[in-house]
Amino acid sequence: MFKRLADAGVAVAITVDGKHVGARSGDTVAAALIAAGIDHCRTTPVTGAPRAPYCLMGVCFECLVTIDGVGSRQGCLAPVRDGMTVETQSGKREAGR
Amino acid sequence: MKASDLAPAYDLVVIGGGPAGLAAAALAARAGLSTVLFDENPGVGGQIYRAIASSPVADRAVLGEDYWVGSDLAVEANASPALIVTGATVWSLDPSRVVGVSIAGQARLIQAGRVIIATGSLERPFPVPGWTLPGVMSAGGAQTLLKAQGLVPGGRTVMAGGGPLLWLLAAQILRAGGKLDAILDTTPRGNWLRALAHLPDFVLSPYFSKGLKLLREVRAKVRVIRIDRLQAVGDDRLREVVFGTGEGERRMPADLLLLHQGVVPNVNLAIAAGVAHAWNERQLCFEPVLDQDFETSVRGIAVAGDGAGIAGGTAAAERGRIAAIAAVRALKPEALVPDVQTVRQRLQRESMGRAFLDWLNRPADSFRQPEGETIVCRCEEVTARQVRDTADLGCEGPNQMKAFLRCGMGPCQGRLCGLTVTELIAAQRGTTPAEVGYYRLRPPVKPITLAELASLPIAEAERKAVER
Amino acid sequence: MRTADVVIIGGGIHGCSTALHLALRGLKPILIEKDYAGRHASGVNAGGVRQLARDLAEIPLSISSMDLWERIEDLTGDDCGFESQGTVLVAENKAELASFRERVNDLRLRGFTHEELIDRAELKRLVPAVADHCPGGVVSRRDGAADPFRTTQAFRRRAIEKGAEVLEGVTVTGLARAGANWRVETSAGLIEAPKVVNAAGAWADRIAAMLGEPVPLTVVAPMLMVTSRVAPFIQPVVILRGRKLSFKQLANGTVVIGGGHLATSDRDRNETVLDWEKLAISARTVWELFPAMRAATIVRAWAGIEAYMPDGIPVVGPSSTSEGVYHQFGFSTHGFQLGPGTGAMMAELVATGSTNTPIDGLGIERFR
């Protein structure tokens, strides 16, 4: 869906659902998912419909993901860090996730 | 920067690091107010100057000079004594100006002498069938990816909607080497009639020549189709865009659909702080009620920038300066500040041409007041039919609607459905959005984890209670 | 000038319930609400339907209410989101458990069996997520929870269907004798009726003052917060004694955290301001009691305005100064469960002059 203009920035290694994803410094988690072609980042707690980042500016809460074990974080506000583990979310979370 | 490093109180807390916030913080700090600016994003600049200090887009022509002027504001603010904290989410503000903020998982309550809310704008909801599908994104979102990460749409891409930002983004994508399959223009032709009265002002404004150039640049490379209906179609993701023109229905396969129909003030924090708001019929949105210094109905709290009503980035900076001058005058009358009249005159010039743009780009009713199974509240998956039916049953306002349908009760707290719900109730009950009003909002305006809340330093009173 | 059999002032769950029960008795009530039904505490409380841990004076009303809750759909035409999964009062230490044992034994001697002492194993069975240090508690198994706004609206709607008139956005400005009737002055004109019920919640003292019957009512706004939806992990409502906490997961997965820490409130402006230092205390209590909740996300918080009496129990019964006027207010942050039964009792009292449900100790004369 998206391609990088140039490989600016330093390579940052994160995992998404256990798989390695090559991100760049300056990426947010949501941007890294989009750049990696990951189609959706969660399913909704109401009907289980797939959702992907929508606004990229912190207002729509579609890009909610679990980051380093903490659930429902806004991926578009979290800069990637080396070694970060990201999990896509499905439906209702376990309490505390 | 950790939350525990913050002082317990500041003369001025500025919330939001876009043009208004940056200009306000720089001016106030230089005049001697202890000033802190909080922004939840990784860097300052707001949306218009997103990633201004870190953008990987090296070719300045891609984003254009109007973007790069933002670096002066960032440099000025960074050089000032203001403390600028990014990654800092403000989740609460109350009428006594206690600011709740979280930084890296730790929360604090900070007392502010004055507050300037500079939380800017967000894109107007664009509730068309299928707008929740992966592959459908706001145009602003795509622009953020371009500015901050140098990401350009790579597949079959369709843009739909109207307003200056849509055309600007189209031009930026094209300049960056991206390709657009079509632009579907949803602006009603009839808007010209209303806009015409404001044409002379517009022709004299800088928007005129810039706008024409932009339109020409985009139209030379992309098909533009005037449409009156729009639908995103797909199972688990977007597969095609279906739209109606005067001549019937057409379909276009697409990987990415970018939606935009203007921006509206981001009112959540101001409403939660108790600030009175009023309906703006020209811009079809709620905005805070303000005096000439941008002070709100709550003493000591100002709203500057597009959050005060949509006027654009340059005007936002001037508004920030005016609010900051008022803050300095209130707290430190002896301090030297720029002449406020000069700033007001600059602001006045900036507002030229806005009326024409507002009327010309006013989105059609059908794209603001959806029907049937179109999702209105994305978080709780509430449909237009449900909202309309509930209004018919006697539900008079958005707060009751919330209780009946849970619309506006998910994590986005109504940001993506508030205006739609208000307008649908008004349409269904034959009244006006001004009468219907908006969601009653309260802190936290951004979700906060239980752990963050539990991390608030224990107040003196509670500590005593525990010891006893 | 309008006339009615009864004018009810206040459109909370109590006013709406009384309106319905009066209409069911064939009387014609007019209910006057200054905002809209359920705008304040009745619509935004935690929704607990609890007999557990009540003052002795309220227990008869609470038990008669419970019977109505269990057939709420027959009564109102809506299930009101009522689910009966019990309320558990958790003991945080052995001393607390010992005091709970005394209370349960005392209730048994008085003939009340709805409270039941439970040990650590039964507590863990009922509330697996509770922290291990808790030695037991008390359960009331018929208790549960309902959707407060929906419930208040259901009573309002059914009352109208049965012949009640509901005037919303109308304020009462005066109350005076007019022969055998009471003349109620409102922003929508005069209404005359032989009987008046004061169910005006946090504003009820102003109505009482019009009758020369001042009451020491405090305006309070207990704060609540709610998490985003999480998978089901707890069934009953959980409450504490020593620290302020009530904790409940709704059917939609969200978890409501309350317990009585107060916001500052301004009843003249319908405004409340949340106190985050106190909500942080609730957060720390949850942190200790439910470790699984630590990373849960708080998405909203709010507070509803209501009345609190100095002795923490409501004012229910005839006016002490004014024949034909009845009071039904001051439920002191725990009136939601009492709504159905108190409305039925009040309708009986208004219609017949007496009631079979004991309300001793709840009269307004105790504040003379």
Side-chain angles (χ1 to χ4, degrees), chain B residues 20-290:
Chain B
L22 289 172
L27 191 153
R30 277 217 296 255
L33 298 192
S34 65
T35 302
V36 63
L37 182 154
F38 296 125
D39 192 294
E40 64 178 343
N41 293 288
V44 296
Q47 303 314 321
I48 183 162
Y49 308 130
R50 163 70 73 157
I52 190 70
S54 63
S55 177
V57 183
D59 180 355
R60 287 172 73 100
V62 169
L63 296 175
E65 281 314 306
D66 282 352
Y67 170 76
W68 292 105
V69 297
S71 45
D72 293 349
L73 282 170
V75 167
E76 189 190 350
N78 279 321
S80 82
L83 174 62
I84 294 176
V85 191
T86 54
T89 299
V90 170
W91 44 268
S92 172
L93 169 64
D94 73 21
S96 52
R97 299 180 306 282
V98 174
V99 179
V101 62
S102 282
I103 303 166
Q106 206 186 28
R108 278 291 296 277
L109 295 175
I110 304 291
Q111 178 66 57
R114 307 272 293 196
V115 171
I116 297 177
I117 298 175
T119 50
S121 60
L122 49 81
E123 289 171 278
R124 177 190 300 284
F126 204 143
V128 292
W131 72 309
T132 53
L133 283 172
V136 182
M137 189 184 277
S138 80
Q143 196 185 37
T144 294
L145 292 171
L146 175 59
K147 288 172 179 170
Q149 284 86 32
L151 287 166
V152 215
R156 295 164 299 181
T157 304
V158 175
M159 294 179 84
L165 184 91
L166 188 84
W167 297 96
L168 174 61
L169 174 64
Q172 289 169 334
I173 290 173
L174 295 171
R175 291 174 203 155
K179 200 172 76 55
L180 293 172
D181 287 40
I183 293 177
L184 307 177
D185 184 353
T186 59
T187 320
R189 271 178 225 280
N191 281 2
W192 269 101
L193 287 174
R194 217 76 193 259
L196 219 51
H198 305 279
L199 185 62
D201 230 23
F202 177 68
V203 172
L204 294 173
S205 79
Y207 297 114
F208 177 65
S209 59
K210 278 186 198 170
L212 276 187
K213 221 174 112 206
L214 209 58
L215 282 177
R216 249 185 254 126
E217 180 184 350
V218 173
R219 281 177 179 277
K221 293 185 180 161
V222 187
R223 251 189 315 167
V224 178
I225 307 168
R226 182 84 67 158
I227 66 165
D228 55 19
R229 262 168 306 136
L230 176 65
Q231 191 176 352
V233 177
D235 32 28
D236 54 342
R237 74 166 334 282
L238 175 74
R239 302 287 171 195
E240 57 177 353
V241 178
V242 179
F243 52 91
T245 65
E247 288 114 48
E249 190 175 277
R250 288 174 59 184
R251 314 177 82 86
M252 192 177 276
D255 303 307
L256 181 65
L257 170 63
L258 300 176
L259 297 175
H260 178 83
Q261 52 177 350
V263 295
V264 295
N266 186 354
V267 293
N268 281 50
L269 184 65
I271 290 184
V275 167
H277 282 65
W279 177 254
N280 179 329
E281 181 59 20
R282 185 175 100 196
Q283 296 185 340
L284 296 166
C285 58
F286 288 96
E287 59 189 26
V289 178
L290 301 168

Side-chain angles (χ1 to χ4, degrees), chain C residues 50-60 62 103 107 311-314 334 361-362:
Chain C
R50 166 176 69 81
Q51 303 177 90
L52 187 66
R54 284 194 176 272
D55 189 282
L56 285 174
E58 302 175 335
I59 289 179
S62 181
R103 149 94 178 178
L107 286 181
D311 49 7
I313 54 175
H334 53 263
L362 300 178

Side-chain angles (χ1 to χ4, degrees), chain C residues 317-362:
Chain C
S319 158
S320 65
T321 58
S322 309
E323 175 88 35
V325 178
Y326 300 83
H327 294 299
Q328 185 180 356
F329 66 86
F331 287 85
S332 306
T333 76
H334 53 263
F336 181 60
Q337 188 268 350
L338 296 174
T342 309
M345 182 282 301
M346 185 55 69
E348 184 190 10
L349 185 61
V350 170
T352 70
S354 68
T355 168
N356 288 319
T357 310
I359 50 170
D360 308 319
L362 300 178

Side-chain angles (χ1 to χ4, degrees), chain B residues 91-92 94-96 109 274 379-380 396 399-404 406 408-411 413 440 442-460 462, chain C residues 36 39 44 147 149-150 153 157 225 228-229 250 252 254 257 270-274 276-277 279-284 286-287 290 293-304:
Chain B
W91 44 268
S92 172
D94 73 21
S96 52
L109 295 175
C379 296
E380 294 290 326
E396 292 179 347
N399 297 300
Q400 294 104 301
M401 195 62 81
K402 229 160 126 172
F404 283 119
R406 291 191 54 81
M409 290 175 97
Q413 301 179 341
R440 206 159 40 237
R442 292 170 178 286
V445 294
K446 301 284 290 209
I448 158 175
T449 65
L450 191 94
E452 280 173 306
L453 185 51
S455 79
L456 269 187
I458 296 176
E460 202 56 27
E462 189 198 348
Chain C
Y36 56 83
R39 162 71 175 83
V44 299
D147 180 336
F149 186 75
R150 193 166 141 196
Q153 288 289 320
R157 194 167 50 239
M225 49 188 174
S228 55
R229 294 171 185 252
L250 303 178
N252 62 32
T254 61
I257 300 167
N270 284 350
E271 261 180 27
T272 57
V273 177
L274 302 176
W276 285 96
E277 287 190 348
L279 284 170
I281 300 173
S282 301
R284 281 192 280 278
V286 174
W287 167 282
F290 296 104
M293 288 295 291
R294 291 180 181 181
T297 309
I298 307 291
V299 290
R300 283 177 297 115
W302 68 92

Side-chain angles (χ1 to χ4, degrees), chain C residues 11 88-89 111 117 134 151 155 163 167 179 191 219 271 275 279 347 367:
Chain C
V88 174
L89 171 64
L117 199 75
C134 302
T151 304
F155 274 100
L167 307 177
I191 308 172
V219 178
E271 261 180 27
D275 182 336
L279 284 170
F367 295 114

Side-chain angles (χ1 to χ4, degrees), chain C residues 7 9-10 32 34 170-178 182-187 190-191 196-200 203-215 267-268 319-323 325 327 329 364:
Chain C
V7 169
I9 304 168
I32 299 163
K34 72 181 184 63
V170 174
T171 49
V172 170
T173 53
L175 196 52
R177 266 267 166 227
W182 284 96
R183 177 172 294 167
V184 185
E185 284 173 34
T186 79
S187 55
L190 292 177
I191 308 172
V196 172
V197 176
N198 173 20
W203 296 264
D205 58 333
R206 293 180 177 168
I207 304 297
M210 291 177 189
L211 305 164
E213 206 172 17
V215 279
R267 62 173 166 174
D268 295 316
S319 158
S320 65
T321 58
S322 309
E323 175 88 35
V325 178
H327 294 299
F329 66 86
I364 194 167

